[in-house]
């Protein structure tokens, strides 16, 4: 099931980028694999072909990269990768935290001012980049006329990697039955994602 979802995600990303970018455009592909140990690249490199192998052989590979802080949970890590800043600067230090103003535990991608845009499910979440205090690499690319597409299994991953905007910022809904985005990124469904349709699980 995960392979099918990831394959669909990569096809969607490629389709969106091809439709949004002109022939002279350049492409940055950043793949973040949650909980993938650094030694897995050496261990499994011989088993990879095409996609991952090409990224390792021809892409930038930082062999001494490290997080000089605790803890390395998904949301904080994605925000750090996306911004190049530490959690005390970008504002995202965990997956959830207690928000005194709201009097509740708040997910890192919670955004009360944003509403879900669903591609077939209920779509009742309020997610967006409200907690992210600074621009991401994707934000800087957009400011220079670039196009940004993020696809992830979770909202927090897609949102933190995109930053404060994007051509298509898409994730699988909490109910696991459809793609979803947010009014923080779009006024309505992206036509390419909509064409792919519902996620079948």
């Amino acid at each position: 099931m995960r392979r099918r979802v990831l394959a669909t995600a990569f096809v969607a990303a490629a389709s969106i980028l091809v439709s949004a970018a002109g022939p002279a455009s350049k492409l940055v592909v950043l793949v973040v694999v949650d909980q993938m140990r650094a030694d897995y690249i050496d261990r499994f490199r011989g088993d990879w072909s095409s996609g991952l192998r090409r990224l390792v052989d021809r892409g930038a590979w930082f062999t001494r990269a490290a997080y000089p802080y605790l803890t390395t949970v998904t949301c904080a890590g994605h925000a750090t990768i996306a911004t190049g800043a530490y959690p005390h600067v970008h504002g995202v230090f965990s997956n959830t935290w207690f928000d005194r103003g709201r009097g509740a535990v708040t997910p890192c991608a919670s955004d009360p001012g944003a509403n879900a845009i669903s591609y077939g499910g209920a779509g009742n979440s309020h997610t967006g980049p409200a907690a992210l205090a600074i621009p991401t690499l994707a934000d800087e690319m957009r400011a220079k006329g670039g196009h940004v597409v993020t696809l992830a299994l979770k909202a927090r991953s897609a949102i933190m990697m995109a930053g404060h905007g994007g051509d298509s910022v898409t994730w699988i809904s909490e109910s696991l039955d459809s793609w979803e985005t947010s009014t923080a990124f779009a006024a309505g469904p992206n036509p390419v994602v909509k064409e792919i349709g519902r996620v079948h699980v």
Side-chain angles (χ1 to χ4, degrees), residues 37-54:
R37 292 181 355 204
D39 64 301
Y40 284 0
I41 294 176
D42 288 324
R43 182 175 178 184
F44 297 110
R45 184 179 188 167
D47 298 328
W48 295 341
S49 61
S50 46
L52 285 175
R53 183 60 180 260
R54 182 178 176 193

Side-chain angles (χ1 to χ4, degrees), residues 80-98:
T80 297
I81 291 168
T83 63
Y86 295 148
H88 73 279
V89 175
H90 61 60
V92 180
F93 58 91
S94 188
N95 289 339
T96 60
W97 53 78
F98 186 80

Side-chain angles (χ1 to χ4, degrees), residues 53-179:
R53 183 60 180 260
R54 182 178 176 193
L55 286 173
V56 171
D57 289 347
R58 296 175 54 195
W61 182 14
F62 301 96
T63 58
R64 297 183 57 139
Y67 290 98
Y69 62 85
L70 190 74
T71 63
T72 55
V73 294
T74 304
C75 207
H78 283 69
T80 297
I81 291 168
T83 63
Y86 295 148
H88 73 279
V89 175
H90 61 60
V92 180
F93 58 91
S94 188
N95 289 339
T96 60
W97 53 78
F98 186 80
D99 186 319
R100 292 181 194 167
R102 297 183 200 175
V105 174
T106 303
C108 62
S110 176
D111 192 338
N115 294 311
I117 297 172
S118 178
Y119 290 90
N124 56 7
S125 66
H126 299 279
T127 50
L132 196 57
I134 63 174
T136 63
L137 170 64
D139 289 324
E140 296 299 325
M141 290 175 61
R142 281 189 312 106
K144 291 177 173 54
H147 298 281
V148 173
V149 174
T150 63
L151 293 160
L153 298 179
K154 294 184 178 179
R156 63 185 177 222
S157 299
I159 291 168
M160 293 303 140
M161 296 308 293
H164 299 92
D167 296 275
S168 182
V169 181
T170 312
W171 55 88
I172 295 179
S173 66
E174 287 290 327
S175 55
L176 303 176
D177 63 350
S178 67
W179 294 108

